[in-house]
Amino acid sequence: MSGQTPKSSTIDTVLEEQRVFNPPERIKETAHIRSYEEYKELYDYSIKEPEAFWAKQAELVDWIKPFKKVYEGDLVEGEHKWYLGGKLNVSANCIDRHINTWRKNKAAIIWQGEKRDETRVLTYNELYNQVCRVANTLKKWGVNKGDRVALYMPMIPELAITMLACSRIGAIHNVVFGGFSADSLRDRINDSGARILITADAGFRRGAYIPLKDNADKALEGCPGVHTCIVVKHTGADINFWTQRDKWWHHEINSPDISSVCPPEAMDSEDPLFILYTSGSTGKPKGVMHTTGGYLVYTSLTMKYIFDLKEEDTFWCTADSGWITGHSYVIYGPLALGATTLMYEGLHNYPNPDRLWQVIEKYRVSIFYTAPTIIRGLMKEDEEWVKKHDLSSLRLLGTVGEPINPEAWVWYHKVVGNEKCAIVDTYWQTETGGVIITPLPGAIPTKPGSAAMPFFGIEPAIVDSNGEECDSKDGGSLIIKRPWPGLMRGVYNAPDRFRETYLTMYPGNYFTGDGARVDEDGYYWLLGRVDDVLNVSGHRLSTAEIESALVSHNKVAEAAVVGYPHDIKGEGIYAYVLLKNNAKASSELRAQLGQHVRKVIGPVASPDKIHIVEQLPKTRSGKIMRRILRKIASGEFEQLGDTSTLSNPESVDELIKTREE
Ligand code: ATP
Ligand code: MG
């Protein structure tokens, strides 16, 4: 009986998404890579001749001293090193090398505040002056090469400036997302051993203040090592100010003893650049460490080819710089290539659901990069919010963070992109430094819901639970078989944790923790976290696919599917469903949704319980927190675990109250 013997350790994948979109002609004509053949040739070369390939790509970066060896190490012990012996400086690559060219007066950072009339533009020259001043200020307050600096800031230019200032003097930044609580901040400061914190008086959120300095004060009560706190005056909110410890940013950097020249430190390629904690979707966040040379080469390379970046582009990545996406694609990637990057402080739906479209129109943004959670959130609104803006400047649209449901992809393509833009669904992680699976906009036809193909130098495989490479069409665990320059070097303060967490499950390989399948054309379909895979009557089902089936119903905006113990099937399917704004919950609709999933995937995937909800619990980076949804579905309310990384903790009680019995 199938209910007793698990059929196989691979994942049943039955969702058929047949639509294929060729690269738009106007993109193909000008893209850095213009055909599938060109991609394939370079990809094969990157795998067969990694040393030559990565040596060549290092030309994207300015080296103070050339490297002697391209790489060393493997994924057995996990010690891998790149560009050995090379010296460089990240801030010099992001700034100095541009100011000696016509880019000196080009906009490096365009900042849009939450208030419409709050905007600032920093040219590369201005960025240079400010970064040098901040770097000198950090030195004045005792920061040396190798020291850690904690940042807890809103999305304002000072955040980028401080990160660059750290990299200029070889200090290791540890950016803590401004939406985190005092406790989370305290733990991250202490884990990194930072002795200085840079923050702001407050940030804006829906017209109200996020009390950053108040939170920092609370956090610092538990951080005896921190002697200095530099505060940016951003909102003008009332704050406590302890002159012995606290310094105003504007006083410090404009002080007469601070020079606007600060020579960049020659850093070793393998010197740490930053520590960043993962977003905590699956449990306790890990302090992921990235180093200098490999990270910069990898972010520059992905930036250039995946986003097809051109000199005249205005690039907007909506991620907060408290996340890896904001490190690699708001700051380091775009600035290393001398682009104009847009930083936005506000939310996607404040004051209205057309806020993003209005900003795109205002700055004539050409490349736009956001997350499925935001796309689904805006998709539930009336299309008129999009239609009333001129979005014709857009050429390329990107997404990252979760699997994108095909319906959301198609909406992005049609309504936002007006069927004229390339879409890149980019798969990656804090640990991977930059994108690892993605379409290339001028070269690889796209299929909605698929992240397409491995980027150069990335060698993925699909394995079953015995670690054997299996028929990848069946789905299984996604691993990467060799290191690449952007891959993390370690977990800060925990020398064995990198190997233990990522390399022991499938020895000699990097385990992503995600499930995937590969279709007959070689396209990767991410199926969600391996821990979330359901085992229903011996069938292993992907949560991502059932969710996509639900979202393809015209009344559904968002869905989250989890398993719960079921006497007969082993695991039952519990679906949390958020409706579009114009839809009403009813038992007929619930029955219809069940039918719909049967039709799209098959009877085995039809949810046993459908819970129509007002809100889904999300991490502060906007991901659905399935770990908690699983506990609620199973009735284990006492064991919800750490909820501190949730952005809407109140949603949990509501879900418990309205749970489907
Ligand atoms: P933690 O590791 O602390 O649980 P996290 O995994 O959410 O948190 P991130 O590094 O921000 O932290 O997210 C990486 C994860 O996001 C991936 O492992 C994958 O599950 C998901 N992801 C990112 N981009 C995509 C994508 N394009 N398609 C599918 N899944 C994606
Ligand atoms: Mg993760």
Side-chain angles (χ1 to χ4, degrees):
M1 235 173 75
S2 65
Q4 279 148 8
T5 26
K7 196 186 76 174
S8 75
S9 52
T10 53
I11 307 172
D12 283 355
T13 52
V14 264
L15 184 70
E16 291 283 324
E17 174 55 58
Q18 304 279 7
R19 290 168 284 193
V20 180
F21 295 83
N22 284 317
E25 273 314 309
R26 63 176 184 146
I27 289 170
K28 222 179 154 88
E29 279 163 15
T30 57
H32 292 301
I33 302 219
R34 301 183 187 178
S35 69
Y36 174 76
E37 291 68 33
E38 207 183 318
Y39 154 75
K40 188 74 173 86
E41 195 179 319
L42 197 50
Y43 176 76
D44 289 345
Y45 176 68
S46 75
I47 298 298
K48 286 194 196 107
E49 304 282 346
E51 200 149 340
F53 175 81
W54 287 116
K56 175 81 187 146
Q57 304 318 317
E59 290 171 11
L60 279 168
V61 165
D62 275 3
W63 298 86
I64 297 170
K65 196 173 142 210
F67 50 90
K68 295 201 180 79
K69 194 171 176 196
V70 179
Y71 73 91
E72 191 175 274
D74 55 37
L75 293 177
V76 179
E77 288 305 319
E79 274 215 19
H80 65 117
K81 296 194 169 116
W82 291 82
Y83 305 118
L84 288 85
K87 302 263 187 215
L88 73 161
N89 183 282
V90 169
S91 91
N93 269 281
C94 291
I95 311 169
D96 304 34
R97 64 167 163 171
H98 307 308
I99 59 172
N100 299 320
T101 71
W102 70 268
R103 287 187 189 134
K104 183 173 84 175
N105 294 319
K106 177 177 176 177
I109 298 176
I110 297 178
W111 176 75
Q112 171 66 55
E114 189 178 81
K115 294 191 191 131
R116 246 173 220 240
D117 54 357
E118 272 195 342
T119 65
R120 275 158 69 187
V121 178
L122 272 97
T123 62
Y124 275 97
N125 193 58
E126 186 54 20
L127 187 61
Y128 175 87
N129 291 337
Q130 299 233 7
V131 166
C132 286
R133 284 182 174 279
V134 174
N136 285 327
T137 305
L138 291 173
K139 280 192 191 167
K140 174 175 156 187
W141 292 108
V143 179
N144 291 311
K145 183 171 165 178
D147 289 348
R148 278 77 57 218
V149 175
L151 282 73
Y152 181 61
M153 297 169 87
M155 274 295 274
I156 53 178
E158 286 80 356
L159 171 55
I161 292 166
T162 311
M163 290 165 72
L164 290 159
C166 288
S167 72
R168 193 160 191 90
I169 60 172
I172 304 168
H173 57 70
N174 169 17
V175 182
V176 180
F177 172 56
F180 276 138
S181 64
D183 288 354
S184 308
L185 175 61
R186 180 199 57 214
D187 293 347
R188 287 162 172 78
I189 292 177
N190 287 335
D191 192 62
S192 71
R195 309 194 60 205
I196 182 163
L197 171 70
I198 321 294
T199 187
D201 50 0
F204 285 110
R205 193 180 163 91
R206 297 193 187 284
Y209 292 150
I210 313 177
L212 294 172
K213 177 62 166 59
D214 288 355
N215 291 345
D217 287 343
K218 277 185 216 125
L220 292 184
E221 282 170 22
C223 302
V226 175
H227 54 65
T228 304
C229 176
I230 298 180
V231 187
V232 177
K233 198 180 193 97
H234 174 48
T235 61
D238 277 342
I239 55 167
N240 291 318
F241 204 82
W242 297 328
T243 44
Q244 283 199 329
R245 183 195 68 195
D246 300 342
K247 318 280 167 208
W248 281 115
W249 165 289
H250 55 281
H251 288 169
E252 290 305 314
I253 73 162
N254 296 318
S255 148
D257 59 335
I258 293 296
S259 153
S260 60
V261 176
C262 174
E265 192 76 35
M267 302 301 289
D268 190 89
S269 188
E270 281 299 330
D271 279 335
L273 178 64
F274 63 84
I275 307 167
L276 183 66
Y277 291 83
T278 56
S279 60
S281 310
T282 54
K284 194 174 174 328
K286 301 163 275 280
V288 168
M289 192 176 71
H290 285 284
T291 58
T292 306
Y295 174 80
L296 193 65
V297 171
Y298 198 70
T299 44
S300 305
L301 186 71
T302 48
M303 186 73 220
K304 176 173 170 185
Y305 288 117
I306 299 168
F307 299 99
D308 196 35
L309 192 76
K310 306 279 170 47
E311 193 67 68
E312 58 279 12
D313 277 316
T314 302
F315 178 77
W316 183 17
C317 165
T318 66
D320 191 285
S321 289
W323 310 120
I324 188 71
T325 309
H327 279 56
S328 299
Y329 301 114
V330 175
I331 299 176
Y332 291 123
L335 297 178
L337 296 183
T340 297
T341 183
L342 198 144
M343 263 181 115
Y344 169 57
E345 188 190 357
L347 290 172
H348 63 281
N349 55 2
Y350 180 83
N352 289 310
D354 65 341
R355 181 62 166 150
L356 300 182
W357 322 130
Q358 184 243 322
V359 173
I360 292 175
E361 180 173 21
K362 175 171 173 185
Y363 296 102
R364 307 203 56 73
V365 170
S366 49
I367 309 174
F368 178 66
Y369 189 29
T370 194
T373 177
I374 290 182
I375 300 168
R376 291 188 302 253
L378 295 175
M379 209 172 105
K380 16 178 245 248
E381 311 288 344
D382 196 327
E383 262 178 46
E384 279 312 302
W385 287 113
V386 192
K387 292 269 149 65
K388 70 183 205 197
H389 294 282
D390 173 8
L391 304 185
S392 58
S393 57
L394 288 171
R395 184 175 96 246
L396 201 144
L397 302 170
T399 109
V400 61
E402 288 178 293
I404 179 163
N405 320 102
E407 283 327 296
W409 193 105
V410 169
W411 184 86
Y412 202 27
H413 171 66
K414 287 205 170 131
V415 181
V416 181
N418 202 14
E419 304 188 32
K420 291 197 173 78
C421 297
I423 295 202
V424 289
D425 171 5
T426 64
Y427 167 79
W428 60 298
Q429 311 175 308
T430 310
E431 295 88 339
T432 69
V435 176
I436 57 170
I437 298 184
T438 179
L440 292 184
I444 303 180
T446 43
K447 303 188 184 188
S450 165
M453 301 198 178
F455 188 68
F456 305 127
I458 304 295
E459 190 186 3
I462 308 292
V463 292
D464 62 23
S465 51
N466 301 320
E468 306 291 334
E469 278 191 43
C470 56
D471 185 348
S472 50
K473 289 186 193 63
D474 294 341
S477 295
L478 175 65
I479 60 165
I480 316 290
K481 295 168 74 172
R482 60 167 84 190
W484 65 97
L487 179 64
M488 68 186 283
R489 295 301 190 273
V491 176
Y492 194 75
N493 252 345
D496 298 326
R497 209 158 151 212
F498 175 51
R499 202 174 42 78
E500 282 164 6
T501 313
Y502 304 95
L503 309 179
T504 49
M505 186 84 154
Y506 302 104
N509 299 288
Y510 172 80
F511 175 42
T512 61
D514 292 310
R517 72 181 161 95
V518 185
D519 69 16
E520 58 285 0
D521 301 321
Y523 281 67
Y524 282 73
W525 298 78
L526 275 301
L527 301 172
R529 320 268 175 165
V530 170
D531 293 346
D532 293 334
V533 168
L534 307 178
N535 196 332
V536 180
S537 305
H539 296 276
R540 284 170 49 89
L541 299 173
S542 134
T543 50
E545 291 190 321
I546 306 176
E547 287 159 11
S548 288
L550 285 162
V551 173
S552 71
H553 188 280
N554 63 8
K555 298 226 160 93
V556 176
E558 187 151 30
V561 166
V562 296
Y564 68 97
H566 189 288
D567 292 345
I568 300 157
K569 301 177 171 183
E571 207 163 12
I573 302 176
Y574 192 112
Y576 298 85
V577 173
L578 195 95
L579 299 179
K580 287 195 180 153
N581 282 357
N582 57 5
K584 285 242 160 8
S586 66
S587 46
E588 291 82 61
L589 178 59
R590 237 173 268 172
Q592 258 181 36
L593 294 178
Q595 279 304 324
H596 183 73
V597 176
R598 270 171 184 266
K599 201 174 85 213
V600 178
I601 302 190
V604 64
S606 180
D608 298 279
K609 293 180 182 175
I610 295 181
H611 182 171
I612 296 186
V613 302
E614 301 281 326
Q615 272 192 70
L616 290 165
K618 295 208 170 156
T619 62
R620 303 216 176 235
S621 58
K623 298 182 197 205
I624 298 168
M625 186 79 105
R626 286 191 184 68
R627 181 168 59 76
I628 289 177
L629 292 176
R630 229 186 287 136
K631 298 279 183 200
I632 297 177
S634 315
E636 296 167 22
F637 309 135
E638 307 306 316
Q639 303 152 35
L640 294 178
D642 181 12
T643 53
S644 67
T645 56
L646 281 183
S647 67
N648 54 349
E650 73 287 355
S651 63
V652 174
D653 287 341
E654 185 58 32
L655 291 180
I656 293 176
K657 258 189 253 150
T658 54
R659 170 172 176 262
E660 290 290 317
E661 291 295 336

